Amino acid sequence: MPIFAAAIIGGLHFANTVPKILNAEIIAMAKLTSRDQDYSKWYNELVVDADLAQHSDVKGCMVIKPYGFAIWERMKEVLDAKFKETGHVNAYFPLLIPKSYLSREAAHVEGFAKECAVVTHYRLKNDPDGAGVVVDPDAKLEEELIIRPTSETIIWKTYKNWIQSYRDLPLLVNQWANVVRWEMRTRLFLRTTEFLWQEGHTAHATKDEAVAEAEQMLRVYAEFAEGTLAMPVIQGVKTASERFAGALNTYCIEALMQDGKALQAGTSHFLGQNFARAFDVTFATKDGGKEHVWATSWGVSTRLMGALIMTHSDDLGLVLPPELAPIQAVIVPIHKGGEGEAVVMERCNALCDELRAAGIRVKLDDDDTRRSGWKFAQYELQGVPVRLAIGPRDAAGGTVELARRDTREKSLVPFEGIAAHITALLSEIQSQLLSASRQRLTDNITEVDTWDEFTAALDRGGFVSAHWDGTDETEEWIKQKTKATIRCIPFDGPGTPSPVAPGACVKTGAPSERRVLFARAY
RNA sequence: CGGGGCGUGGCCCAGUCCGGUUAAGGCGCCUGUUUUGGGAACAGGAGACCGCAGGUUCGAAUCCUGCCGCCCCGACCA
């Protein structure tokens, strides 16, 4: 059957959904493993096939390819603006940290020591036995350096000199950086040995101010996740056992992936005075006293790329929310060369100019070494939200074929007024992606009161809202038994998935003040 | 760190058990022709220290020893 199935109905040009059989044909051509078949395999193939990233030759490390990096750059752009709006400035601290710094804060070293890469020498020399180079034993460092797994220590060591007085506070600094954590097991974007992130490190005169900062940045993350990634999140706090090493309280946003597993998408920590004490950072108060400063740190990483992929994408590939898409609309010319080409290209160029003028990130793919069918498939795999095709028929009839990536609907739209149409469509796609994923999230929060219900719900996937007696022992026991962890204790308030109301622990039956959210997680 | 798998042109891989001409096939790449409204067809062409180092043998991708690396599944973690 002809693949081109859209038609102009009754002189009107709109909304003509493609017959289902067409979608079936397209899906049959998909080269990805389906999500049903093997979700994990689907994910890995998508990352590579959509040209987002690839494995490097070093275990656990990845090359982020230009298209993947463009998406990350969009994330950075939006987040960075939000940080600036909330009064933060960027700076940069070194990659290498003296080993001794790490041990200043007891809980911190406990948390990170096991995954630190260590620099021991500063020189190589030619291998006397043959080819290549060897470490020069004469070039051993007096004090070994670690490659930062996070920067609290070097930053607090520095802050000691920056902060003297209450006038120096608050200190609101962020850095965009790479960090290394030598994880046993890695997955592209979700957990790589080296990853890119931002880490905010702030210093405050009072506890309340620091807590407010940590909470504010969590809200910034949540707004970003929902507004830009179209990924709904649950905001809450971590239990003591899940806290950041060295924090007094860890706030988090938790998202739900399509396979029912939870993903920690961002964290914001209230560090109390732990690092100020460890690095002796004090300030003179207004009334002449001397106090340790209060701290926060907060971060999101390239892991968000994984979250994005597993929130919206389908068996044909990536689905990008328009806010984030490096290319929001792609124009594919269709012609047979010769005279027809000039006519089609003229329309395409006009379309491209018009969309660009309307502030749409548009690409005209005039590469004549690829056929249109190949391009259609490629842009679907890469998640471009809107695809526009213009062929001789469109050039003659004043129409454009428009295909939505999210619903895979095709329609013919008039050339006239198309920029406004697409602008509106992009924002509709953005909000539909959010509402669809929000629906999936709410549909997959199960409230349970018995152990049997609890385990059954966990096996179905999603978040399980249950009472917990508040002890580390019970939390650990449940983790061992079910592989589920307490993802967070959600904030109370309207729409909370687990309201504050007394009950009995799902495991021990001991009294519980409120429900918490359990899930199996990435 | 345990369990499993794998290393052969840019990519996917056959061949390895049972050693024997020129290392097969597909994708991709290059050239040409015809094509172009859903991943084009045909013809020709280029491209390989068979992971590395030893060993056995007349002869090794194949057998032996050692080493290295990666991926997947667990434990650990953002």
Side-chain angles (χ1 to χ4, degrees):
Chain A
M1 72 170 285
I3 295 295
F4 182 81
I8 299 176
I9 302 168
L12 292 174
H13 305 283
F14 289 108
N16 175 24
T17 306
V18 167
K20 285 201 167 57
I21 185 154
L22 173 57
N23 282 333
E25 282 175 0
I26 292 172
I27 290 164
M29 292 190 295
K31 60 179 188 177
L32 297 176
T33 298
S34 74
R35 289 166 294 174
D36 283 352
Q37 212 174 356
D38 185 339
Y39 195 82
S40 174
K41 198 171 176 196
W42 165 83
Y43 175 84
N44 288 329
E45 288 177 1
L46 190 153
V47 170
V48 172
D49 290 355
D51 240 8
L52 304 177
Q54 65 183 66
H55 290 285
S56 79
D57 289 342
V58 176
K59 176 183 164 61
C61 292
M62 66 177 165
V63 176
I64 303 176
K65 298 185 74 176
Y67 189 63
F69 201 78
I71 298 169
W72 173 242
E73 282 180 316
R74 272 296 298 158
M75 291 190 189
K76 282 174 70 173
E77 193 180 339
V78 175
L79 276 171
D80 201 62
K82 287 181 186 289
F83 298 158
K84 305 260 170 74
E85 276 164 27
T86 44
H88 301 85
V89 291
N90 286 330
Y92 187 78
F93 295 84
L95 171 73
L96 299 174
I97 300 175
K99 192 181 69 178
S100 60
Y101 287 17
L102 196 67
S103 48
R104 292 280 198 96
E105 211 287 331
H108 193 68
V109 67
E110 172 74 18
F112 287 105
K114 284 175 292 188
E115 50 193 43
C116 273
V118 186
V119 178
T120 57
H121 292 74
Y122 58 85
R123 191 167 62 213
L124 300 172
K125 62 176 187 180
N126 289 326
D127 185 352
D129 297 332
V133 287
V134 293
V135 172
D136 184 346
D138 294 336
K140 191 164 166 50
L141 288 170
E142 204 137 302
E143 178 173 3
E144 292 163 342
L145 302 170
I146 61 165
I147 299 176
R148 62 184 165 211
T150 178
S151 302
E152 272 78 6
T153 58
I154 184 82
I155 285 177
W156 281 91
K157 184 72 166 57
T158 310
Y159 279 3
K160 176 178 166 54
N161 297 321
W162 288 7
I163 298 168
Q164 317 280 328
S165 152
Y166 72 92
R167 294 194 193 90
D168 299 320
L169 299 173
L171 183 57
L172 307 173
V173 175
N174 175 65
Q175 84 165 343
W176 291 95
N178 56 342
V179 290
V180 166
R181 296 182 188 175
W182 215 267
E183 303 285 355
M184 292 305 170
R185 188 142 140 53
T186 56
R187 294 194 66 190
L188 290 170
F189 289 121
L190 293 174
R191 182 171 298 104
T192 45
T193 300
E194 178 189 11
F195 57 95
L196 306 184
W197 76 344
Q198 57 71 217
E199 46 182 327
H201 296 273
T202 67
H204 306 265
T206 66
K207 175 181 177 179
D208 287 352
E209 200 185 301
V211 168
E213 164 77 4
E215 290 177 350
Q216 169 185 249
M217 296 324 286
L218 190 77
R219 279 197 303 277
V220 165
Y221 288 155
E223 282 165 17
F224 171 73
E226 305 199 347
T228 304
L229 305 187
M231 178 177 77
V233 291
I234 294 168
Q235 302 180 54
V237 299
K238 288 290 188 189
T239 61
S241 73
E242 298 277 331
R243 243 173 236 152
F244 175 75
L248 295 189
N249 199 5
T250 288
Y251 300 89
C252 62
I253 52 173
E254 291 284 327
L256 184 64
M257 304 296 101
Q258 293 169 345
D259 62 346
K261 287 171 82 172
L263 184 95
Q264 179 174 307
T267 48
S268 178
H269 315 290
F270 168 58
L271 301 174
Q273 293 171 307
N274 286 349
F275 285 90
R277 276 195 286 266
F279 289 91
D280 192 30
V281 184
T282 58
F283 69 101
T285 61
K286 221 168 190 168
D287 55 14
K290 189 181 161 190
E291 286 177 20
H292 284 109
V293 303
W294 298 84
T296 79
S297 71
W298 28 275
V300 297
S301 71
T302 36
R303 171 177 251 205
L304 286 176
M305 294 286 292
L308 177 74
I309 294 163
M310 291 195 290
T311 297
H312 303 298
S313 302
D314 62 24
D315 291 350
L316 289 176
L318 191 61
V319 174
L320 286 174
E323 285 285 323
L324 203 60
I327 303 168
Q328 295 174 308
V330 65
I331 302 167
V332 178
I334 298 167
H335 56 76
K336 301 181 204 292
E339 287 172 25
E341 176 175 356
V343 177
V344 166
M345 287 313 297
E346 192 198 327
R347 297 301 278 176
C348 287
N349 280 312
L351 178 60
C352 188
D353 290 346
E354 193 171 336
L355 297 185
R356 187 163 291 142
I360 296 165
R361 291 190 292 277
V362 59
K363 172 181 174 178
L364 168 56
D365 187 350
D366 59 358
D367 179 355
D368 58 9
T369 67
R370 302 287 184 195
R371 294 156 60 94
S372 52
W374 188 91
K375 293 176 185 176
F376 291 173
Q378 189 62 22
Y379 290 114
E380 261 156 19
L381 186 56
Q382 298 196 298
V384 174
V386 170
R387 187 186 71 233
L388 302 164
I390 294 182
R393 292 203 292 268
D394 300 299
T399 58
V400 176
E401 184 194 73
L402 185 158
R404 277 175 70 152
R405 176 61 184 89
D406 60 335
T407 60
R408 300 201 305 278
E409 285 166 347
K410 278 188 191 178
S411 56
L412 273 188
V413 297
F415 194 98
E416 278 303 310
I418 192 159
H421 180 71
I422 290 175
T423 300
L425 179 61
L426 288 172
S427 107
E428 184 192 325
I429 291 171
Q430 181 78 26
S431 66
Q432 276 195 17
L433 286 175
L434 176 61
S435 59
S437 49
R438 195 188 295 286
Q439 188 65 50
R440 183 164 52 75
L441 174 61
T442 52
D443 287 349
N444 285 287
I445 300 174
T446 314
E447 199 171 287
V448 303
D449 291 307
T450 69
W451 181 253
D452 286 348
E453 287 171 354
F454 181 73
T455 56
L458 281 177
D459 288 341
R460 281 196 302 274
F463 289 105
V464 180
S465 174
H467 281 288
W468 162 59
D469 63 16
T471 66
D472 289 351
E473 293 72 32
T474 300
E475 187 181 6
E476 180 61 23
W477 190 91
I478 290 173
K479 184 177 174 182
Q480 292 304 323
K481 202 75 179 175
T482 66
K483 290 178 184 159
T485 48
I486 298 176
R487 300 316 303 162
C488 75
I489 305 165
F491 291 152
D492 204 24
T496 180
S498 47
V500 174
C505 174
V506 74
K507 163 63 176 65
T508 62
S512 153
E513 288 174 16
R514 55 162 307 157
R515 292 173 185 277
V516 297
L517 289 186
F518 289 86
R520 296 196 177 117
Y522 276 99

